[in-house]
Amino acid sequence: MDRQSFDGYTSVLAEYETPFADTTMREADQSAEAEHYHTDQYSPEYESPFAMTFEAPLVGQMTVSPVAGEIVNLLGELQSEEFEEQLYEMAQELEDTWSSKVSNETAMGDRFVPYATQEAHQYFEALLQESNRMFDRASSQFSGNNFEDLTDAEIENFFETYEWESTLSPAQEQFFGGILKKVKSVVKKGIDLAKKGVAAVGKILPIGMILNKLKGLIKPLLDKVLKFAIGKLPANLQPYARTLAGKLLNMAGMAAKETEDEIPAAAQLESLQAEFDVQMANLLFAPGEAEAEDFVMEYESSIDTMQREDPAAEAGIPALDAARQRFISELQELQPGQSPAPAIERFIPAAIMALQPVIKIALNIIGRQKVINFLAGLLAKLVAKYVPEQVAKPLAASIIDVGMSAIGFETAERNRSDLAYEAIANTVQETIQNLGMLSEETLNDQEALTAETLEAFEQAAANNFPQQHLKAHKRLTQDNGAWVMMPRYGHKHCYKKYARVFDVTLDHRITSTLRTFRGLPLSHYLRDKLGMDPAKPVQARVHIYEAIPGTKLYHIAKFEKVPGLRGSGRFAYRQLHPLTVQAATALLREPRLGRDFRVPFTTVRHRIAVGQRFYFLEIAGAKLRVVPVATRPQGARATAAGAGKGVPSQPHTGGLAPRVPNSSDVQGVINFVRSEIRFNYYFSEQDALTVAEKLNAKDYAGAFISIRYSIRTVLQNLLIKNVGSKVKIIHETMPEMYLENYTVTQDQFSLASIGSAVGGLALNAGKELLQKLVEKLVTVIADAAYNAVLNYFKAREKEFLAAQASPMDGVTVKIIWFNVPGMAAISAIINAIKGRLSVGNIADLVLPSLPAPEVKISAGKHFD
């Protein structure tokens, strides 16, 4: 782009109408100041900062470790959504240890991180001691090489009856239980490999030595939980975790997941778990003690590497919240006639740094100051009207007027202009966010870049200014609501709240249709979490929120003073639901207040995106149900129960812990390595109780109807519609395990004849092929699982009644098919897509015929 074209954006502005009701952009100022900001030559070699992919392997270039099957089996067993939830709730509890002692985190500046670190070390002290004690005992128990007579039952018994000695908080105890499960999996796999012999699997270190090395992974993991809690854990751990898996499996050049349009609000804990699991597998399969020690040291040093590679710190860029406060202050201090462009120019780098999912990409644009100058000059002209104090004060007053009841503004704020400048800052920040992943062509095309920026600004202004300040056709809603940063006082901003509360009537027609996290119907939430009858209409007040960089849902629950949300303890965040376009339409009659995001961001509450919106239902008299549930394995106990150091004491005795009841759920596991398929069907406590009551009353017909309805509803509405997140795939070339984590390019393989191989499926991409294939397989299996569960209840009702009567939450029925014929043919398709085989090997694919399954039942929710 030459100098003349970069200056040329002024002619575009001359014809552009702003979204504001009382202003039209006139011909741009040709002053020397404008010349200073927009006449520098733009570099045509500039690489796009908004997209990045890793090199994908070509057909025939991928090799797989000879023990890949053993490795992916272990990784599949280690992976657990429950563990991610345990990390999340421990981070929440960790934050609580210092948040009540810090009145203004931003004001602490450089002192905050050392202070939080000191508090965290105290919080983790008992947990580290207990973890070290457990590893020492396990090492002593399983040292030596006499494993021939050691059974899986004996290994299970050691871990299932392990006794706590330290006083751990509820969240710490759940985390420790998760670590116990992972260590148990490593021990079982190590002993199994030892029994197979060195010739079969290569050299395996003694189990005792492996356990001693595993001990060294716990503190780095806890340090990363601290980084997550204070917002310093990078959001781009997924490529690193995938790269580690690729090295472990000898999958040279494995493609890393492509950057998506959505920007994670915080680091994604599934990547943190994947990284930890891969390191555990690395230790088990390490060829020698020196290599094992290197793995531990690499994981320990990764925290220091994160600190050194913090690009914001290296570039001298302040954190986003501090940069916003400085930007607002600079706007307030502008003299009449001064342009806000310099202030915007200083703010944009912090906004880019916080909003880009891959930080190294953000550095590219930060290194191109001329692009920032261009954006700053353009945005300055768009917001300049609202900078003068005589305009800012009425704008602030109008925001207060619309949000007085919802936000709880203090009267003193009415005479201040802060909210107006905050709205401008929000608009500038969201404009950068809305630009998304611009192509290199767009960045090099002045006209295209200008058009993209103007459109992004228009959307941002509509979200952050009261609707009365917008032209009628630019308004998003029929009311004058606006989004306001929260909390207002005593803490840095953590989220946005809409300055209006909606009164709605909920009926079964609405609640049975709307979906919350995990694809569950809202009616299940009302029944299982609130103890309400979803068939009866109920009045509710709807509060809505938006995620900003760094938002965690437990922040909203912590700082909101809304009845029913405040005071619900550490589980309060589970009352927040995705405000999709469908939900906004059905509940609010305002579809443009909702936003749709990909399934990964509506699956679990600890994985959300910047700009994603949520709602809370304030229902008079309703309260989140928290019940005592047995969370430790049967036989395990702690010598003391209560709270860890620095954590307020909570009721937690006798092996029971407070938990929010789960809703009915389902999981599929397709294991190509073992030719094994598992369906785990979970009956919620309420569903299980309904069935048990009818069975006890000898109402077998009623029980059968309830079972059929419950199973069919969950299988159809949860499993079939959410295959990407509900079905775990264990395959030598798929460390991603879930389809939602898998990305493939068409250059990796030829699609010729693949479609006919699966019954004429017309597909144009590898991922679509795999998705359709798995969906077809799951549909067949779901029908078989449905019949298997029904047949189970006809013959083994007493087992179900016994499981329901236990203190665990709900009942899990496992349907397992062993040695399934035909799995190798489907595995060949995956090999072809992943670049290992030619498609000619799979022309005669036939879906497997299922043998009779084994059915197991257990109390509580147990997914593989």
Side-chain angles (χ1 to χ4, degrees):
M1 183 185 298
D2 58 24
R3 171 174 173 171
Q4 183 178 3
S5 64
F6 225 93
D7 278 342
Y9 84 90
T10 56
S11 63
V12 178
L13 283 179
E15 302 173 359
Y16 174 72
E17 290 191 354
T18 75
F20 302 119
D22 56 351
T23 176
T24 301
M25 184 62 64
R26 300 301 180 187
E27 189 168 338
D29 182 20
Q30 301 296 323
S31 65
E33 180 182 53
E35 180 76 12
H36 170 73
Y37 283 101
H38 312 297
T39 57
D40 290 304
Q41 186 173 356
Y42 179 64
S43 173
E45 298 87 33
Y46 178 59
E47 295 182 1
S48 167
F50 294 100
M52 176 180 178
T53 58
F54 287 81
E55 195 80 17
L58 299 176
V59 175
Q61 288 188 336
M62 182 179 293
T63 62
V64 178
S65 166
V67 292
E70 301 286 359
I71 295 172
V72 296
N73 263 318
L74 176 60
L75 292 176
E77 190 172 337
L78 292 174
Q79 189 276 334
S80 165
E81 286 185 6
E82 183 181 20
F83 188 72
E84 294 164 17
E85 188 175 280
Q86 291 161 354
L87 292 175
Y88 189 72
E89 293 189 353
M90 189 165 64
Q92 175 187 3
E93 192 175 78
L94 175 60
E95 279 197 58
D96 288 342
T97 65
W98 68 66
S99 61
S100 61
K101 306 173 187 176
V102 176
S103 59
N104 191 327
E105 177 182 319
T106 303
M108 289 186 69
D110 294 340
R111 293 178 293 124
F112 170 71
V113 172
Y115 174 77
T117 301
Q118 180 181 356
E119 292 289 313
H121 288 165
Q122 293 180 10
Y123 173 83
F124 288 138
E125 183 179 344
L127 187 55
L128 280 170
Q129 289 177 354
E130 190 57 61
S131 297
N132 289 337
R133 189 178 295 114
M134 180 269 293
F135 279 111
D136 289 341
R137 290 182 180 178
S139 178
S140 175
Q141 177 75 17
F142 300 109
S143 291
N145 296 312
N146 298 320
F147 300 133
E148 292 301 325
D149 298 327
L150 189 62
T151 66
D152 282 352
E154 290 172 312
I155 301 172
E156 291 274 354
N157 183 67
F158 174 83
F159 289 100
E160 295 291 315
T161 60
Y162 183 86
E163 295 184 1
W164 280 246
E165 289 189 8
S166 298
T167 300
L168 303 180
S169 71
Q172 289 175 327
E173 184 164 310
Q174 290 174 31
F175 167 81
F176 185 72
I179 292 294
L180 266 180
K181 290 180 181 178
K182 289 180 181 291
V183 175
K184 178 180 68 175
S185 295
V186 172
V187 170
K188 289 176 67 175
K189 175 62 68 174
I191 291 176
D192 179 59
L193 293 175
K195 288 180 178 180
K196 290 179 178 178
V198 174
V201 297
K203 185 178 180 181
I204 298 294
L205 294 176
I207 295 298
M209 182 181 295
I210 292 171
L211 288 167
N212 284 327
K213 302 297 183 185
L214 286 173
K215 184 193 304 184
L217 302 181
I218 302 301
K219 187 178 184 302
L221 175 62
L222 295 179
D223 286 341
K224 293 184 180 187
V225 172
L226 168 61
K227 294 286 185 183
F228 173 82
I230 62 178
K232 298 294 185 181
L233 188 67
N236 61 328
L237 282 175
Q238 183 69 25
Y240 177 61
R242 289 165 53 82
T243 300
L244 282 175
K247 290 179 179 178
L248 184 62
L249 297 171
N250 292 344
M251 294 166 61
M254 187 182 77
K257 189 175 181 179
E258 294 179 356
T259 301
E260 302 286 356
D261 291 338
E262 293 94 342
I263 301 170
Q268 300 184 49
L269 292 176
E270 67 272 19
S271 298
L272 187 58
Q273 178 181 206
E275 180 190 36
F276 181 71
D277 291 349
V278 168
Q279 293 291 14
M280 296 185 84
N282 272 332
L283 286 177
L284 180 60
F285 289 91
E289 184 176 3
E291 290 82 357
E293 188 64 31
D294 286 343
F295 287 134
V296 176
M297 293 179 62
E298 177 187 6
Y299 191 56
E300 289 175 337
S301 63
S302 61
I303 289 289
D304 296 330
T305 301
M306 287 179 191
Q307 190 69 29
R308 290 195 305 270
E309 294 180 354
D310 182 354
E314 289 180 4
I317 299 170
L320 179 61
D321 203 64
R324 290 182 76 262
Q325 294 304 317
R326 187 181 72 177
F327 179 39
I328 291 171
S329 297
E330 290 178 344
L331 291 178
Q332 290 175 300
E333 295 168 0
L334 287 176
Q335 299 300 311
Q338 276 191 298
S339 170
I344 296 176
E345 181 183 328
R346 286 187 286 271
F347 175 60
I348 286 177
I352 293 174
M353 188 67 70
L355 292 170
Q356 291 304 315
V358 181
I359 293 178
K360 291 181 180 179
I361 300 174
L363 280 177
N364 290 336
I365 194 169
I366 289 172
R368 302 302 190 270
Q369 187 63 39
K370 297 176 181 60
V371 179
I372 295 177
N373 292 346
F374 172 75
L375 293 175
L378 177 54
L379 292 173
K381 293 185 178 296
L382 294 170
V383 302
K385 163 102 178 150
Y386 288 94
V387 172
E389 186 176 9
Q390 66 269 23
V391 180
K393 281 187 176 181
L395 171 59
S398 66
I399 296 174
I400 292 173
D401 286 340
V402 299
M404 186 63 77
S405 61
I407 306 298
F409 288 119
E410 294 184 359
T411 305
E413 288 193 86
R414 185 175 293 276
N415 296 321
R416 299 177 59 179
S417 57
D418 302 53
L419 275 171
Y421 298 123
E422 186 175 292
I424 293 173
N426 289 345
T427 300
V428 172
Q429 179 178 321
E430 193 168 324
T431 298
I432 302 300
Q433 174 184 325
N434 290 342
L435 287 174
M437 299 174 187
L438 295 182
S439 67
E440 185 175 354
E441 289 75 17
T442 299
L443 286 171
N444 280 288
D445 185 333
Q446 172 270 326
E447 186 174 347
L449 180 58
T450 301
E452 290 280 356
T453 305
L454 294 176
E455 182 179 355
F457 175 83
E458 182 177 294
Q459 295 172 1
N463 280 327
N464 293 289
F465 278 71
Q467 302 298 290
Q468 68 195 55
H469 290 266
L470 304 172
K471 295 175 181 177
H473 66 287
K474 301 293 185 182
R475 297 173 184 172
L476 298 181
T477 66
Q478 298 177 3
D479 67 277
N480 286 325
W483 292 92
V484 178
M485 299 291 277
M486 299 292 285
R488 298 304 306 162
Y489 316 104
H491 197 278
K492 71 175 184 179
H493 297 316
C494 297
Y495 58 94
K496 288 183 183 179
K497 183 174 184 179
Y498 192 67
R500 181 191 164 186
V501 180
F502 296 81
D503 294 312
V504 303
T505 300
L506 300 173
D507 59 29
H508 188 64
R509 176 183 57 86
I510 294 175
T511 60
S512 62
T513 302
L514 292 184
R515 301 285 157 179
T516 183
F517 286 97
R518 300 184 188 274
L520 296 170
L522 186 62
S523 57
H524 285 199
Y525 161 79
L526 295 175
R527 183 195 63 183
D528 298 324
K529 307 293 193 295
L530 300 184
M532 302 179 65
D533 183 355
K536 296 179 179 179
V538 62
Q539 301 299 313
R541 305 185 76 222
V542 183
H543 302 257
I544 58 179
Y545 308 92
E546 181 177 312
I548 63 174
T551 295
K552 306 176 184 75
L553 289 187
Y554 61 70
H555 288 151
I556 300 175
K558 177 181 179 64
F559 294 109
E560 280 297 296
K561 298 179 181 179
V562 178
L565 189 59
R566 187 182 190 185
S568 296
R570 65 192 182 97
F571 303 115
Y573 73 93
R574 300 192 190 185
Q575 300 179 89
L576 294 162
H577 313 280
L579 186 67
T580 61
V581 173
Q582 180 195 20
T585 303
L587 293 174
L588 316 176
R589 305 294 188 269
E590 295 283 5
R592 297 181 75 180
L593 282 177
R595 286 180 176 173
D596 291 334
F597 283 77
R598 293 181 302 117
V599 170
F601 294 101
T602 58
T603 301
V604 290
R605 286 178 170 84
H606 56 73
R607 185 195 307 152
I608 62 175
V610 171
Q612 191 172 359
R613 291 176 177 170
F614 309 91
Y615 67 93
F616 166 70
L617 297 174
E618 178 191 347
I619 303 173
K623 185 178 180 181
L624 183 67
R625 296 178 62 212
V626 180
V627 297
V629 173
T631 56
R632 298 178 191 139
Q634 184 178 2
R637 65 179 180 86
T639 57
K645 187 172 183 179
V647 180
S649 178
Q650 301 183 43
H652 189 218
T653 58
L656 299 178
R659 299 294 295 171
V660 175
N662 290 304
S663 294
S664 293
D665 205 351
V666 66
Q667 179 202 40
V669 181
I670 303 177
N671 192 322
F672 290 97
V673 177
R674 294 181 176 176
S675 294
E676 177 182 299
I677 299 173
R678 293 172 177 256
F679 264 34
N680 301 314
Y681 180 83
Y682 171 72
F683 285 85
S684 71
E685 184 64 26
Q686 191 62 45
D687 278 347
L689 180 61
T690 299
V691 172
E693 288 175 344
K694 291 179 179 180
L695 289 175
N696 285 325
K698 308 301 181 183
D699 180 10
Y700 297 109
F704 193 71
I705 292 172
S706 296
I707 294 165
R708 288 185 60 183
Y709 175 78
S710 180
I711 298 172
R712 179 61 66 185
T713 299
V714 171
L715 288 178
Q716 291 295 332
N717 292 335
L718 291 185
L719 185 67
I720 304 300
K721 294 181 180 179
N722 298 281
V723 165
S725 61
K726 291 291 185 184
V727 179
K728 185 187 293 187
I729 300 172
I730 310 297
H731 188 279
E732 292 96 330
T733 64
M734 282 200 69
E736 305 96 342
M737 287 184 285
Y738 288 93
L739 288 176
E740 69 178 22
N741 296 330
Y742 170 58
T743 300
V744 65
T745 61
Q746 294 188 34
D747 292 339
Q748 283 182 251
F749 59 95
S750 168
L751 287 169
S753 80
I754 293 184
S756 60
V758 292
L761 295 175
L763 304 170
N764 57 14
K767 185 174 182 179
E768 292 180 16
L769 171 64
L770 190 54
Q771 178 88 16
K772 291 293 183 182
L773 177 62
V774 174
E775 285 178 357
K776 189 177 182 70
L777 178 60
V778 168
T779 301
V780 172
I781 302 169
D783 288 336
Y786 174 71
N787 292 326
V789 174
L790 294 183
N791 291 333
Y792 159 81
F793 275 100
K794 292 178 182 178
R796 298 161 62 182
E797 64 182 74
K798 291 183 179 180
E799 293 178 51
F800 183 87
L801 291 172
Q804 190 280 321
S806 80
M808 302 292 282
D809 177 35
V811 177
T812 300
V813 177
K814 292 180 176 285
I815 306 101
I816 310 169
W817 289 271
F818 297 100
N819 301 317
V820 179
M823 295 282 280
I826 301 176
S827 179
I829 288 185
I830 300 177
N831 282 326
I833 293 175
K834 301 289 279 189
R836 290 188 62 215
L837 299 174
S838 66
V839 296
N841 295 332
I842 56 174
D844 300 322
L845 171 68
V846 176
L847 290 177
S849 57
L850 297 174
E854 177 179 317
V855 179
K856 298 180 179 180
I857 190 167
S858 58
K861 185 175 182 179
H862 302 288
F863 281 4
D864 296 314

